[in-house]
Amino acid sequence: CIAPSIGRDVRECRYATPGARHRVVAIGDSHMVHWLPALQRMATTHDWDLLALTKTACPFAQLDESIVRSEVAKSCAEWNSKVIGRIRAHRPELVIVAQSIGALGEIADDPARGPAEKAARMADAWRSVIGPTTRLAAIRETPRLPWDAPECLARPGASARGCSQDLEASVPVRSAVADAAALVPEAALLDMTD
C-alpha cells in the first residue's frame, strides 16, 4: 500500500465497510503503515471508510524547492502537494498522521534548519486539511532502538534485557510531531509512549 520513495504517483488504499458513515484518512510514511492494521480494525468496528495515503521516507509536511535536493526529496515534495487535494476530495471527518522521527530531517537535511522549522512545515500541511468538519490527530513518534532488535535477539545467549534500552533513551525528549501539534490548536496529539 505504500508508495516507494522514488516516484510521484499517489497510491490510495481503501479499507471501507460498505456504506460506511465516517470518512477517515491515514497519512504518513512507513510509520503510518505500522499503524494500519489497528486502524483497519477500528474502521470495521466504528463504521469507517478508511483511506490510507503513505509514501516511504516521506513525512506529511509543506516542502518547497528551497529545501529539497535529492530525487527522493523532490518526489516527496510533489507527493505532498498531490495528497492535500486527495484528502480534501475525500472530505474526511478525521485525518490521522504518523511519521518517522528522522523523516523530515532526511528530506530537508540542512543544519541551519532546526526543529522549530520542521515542526512549522508539518503544522502548515496539517492546517491545509483541517476544516470545519475535519479534525486531525497526530501520533507522536514511537520508541526506536539504534540497533536491529531481532538481529540482537538472534545472537547466541541473547536476552530481551540485553537487547533493550530504557524508554527515555528510545524516545527523543524533543518531538517534532508534538512541537507541530502545539502550533495547531485544532490537532490532537496521540502519545503512545506514556
Side-chain angles (χ1 to χ4, degrees):
C1 183
I2 191 166
S5 58
I6 301 285
R8 288 160 165 70
D9 292 334
V10 174
R11 290 187 183 170
E12 292 187 5
C13 293
R14 204 88 178 244
Y15 309 96
T17 304
R21 293 181 341 180
H22 307 286
R23 288 181 306 279
V24 177
V25 171
I27 185 167
D29 60 15
S30 61
H31 287 237
M32 174 50 81
V33 173
H34 297 172
W35 290 105
L36 285 179
L39 292 175
Q40 290 169 18
R41 183 170 226 168
M42 291 178 72
T44 301
T45 304
H46 299 288
D47 200 21
W48 290 0
D49 174 357
L50 175 63
L51 174 64
L53 301 167
T54 57
K55 182 171 176 64
T56 301
C58 185
F60 183 47
Q62 290 287 348
L63 303 172
D64 57 51
E65 294 299 318
S66 68
I67 65 165
V68 297
R69 288 179 214 89
S70 70
E71 185 60 31
V72 169
K74 289 175 185 171
S75 172
C76 181
E78 186 173 329
W79 182 85
N80 268 287
S81 296
K82 289 178 180 178
V83 295
I84 289 171
R86 300 278 179 100
I87 293 169
R88 288 179 181 157
H90 191 61
R91 297 187 336 264
E93 295 170 44
L94 177 63
V95 175
I96 305 169
V97 179
Q99 58 202 32
S100 164
I101 292 169
L104 194 54
E106 293 163 10
I107 294 297
D109 193 20
D110 181 345
R113 299 182 196 287
E117 182 176 342
K118 292 173 185 175
R121 289 187 178 283
M122 285 189 286
D124 287 345
W126 299 358
R127 283 188 203 98
S128 72
V129 298
I130 294 173
T133 59
T134 302
R135 295 171 293 146
L136 185 134
I139 301 174
R140 187 187 194 278
E141 301 94 325
T142 52
R144 185 177 197 160
L145 293 171
W147 57 81
D148 185 312
E151 185 178 290
C152 180
L153 288 167
R155 292 184 189 131
S159 69
R161 174 173 238 114
C163 294
S164 64
Q165 67 181 6
D166 291 335
L167 180 63
E168 294 77 28
S170 300
V171 177
V173 174
R174 180 123 195 208
S175 163
V177 172
D179 289 351
L183 297 172
V184 183
E186 304 87 356
L189 178 65
L190 304 176
D191 189 345
M192 312 295 187
T193 64
D194 57 0

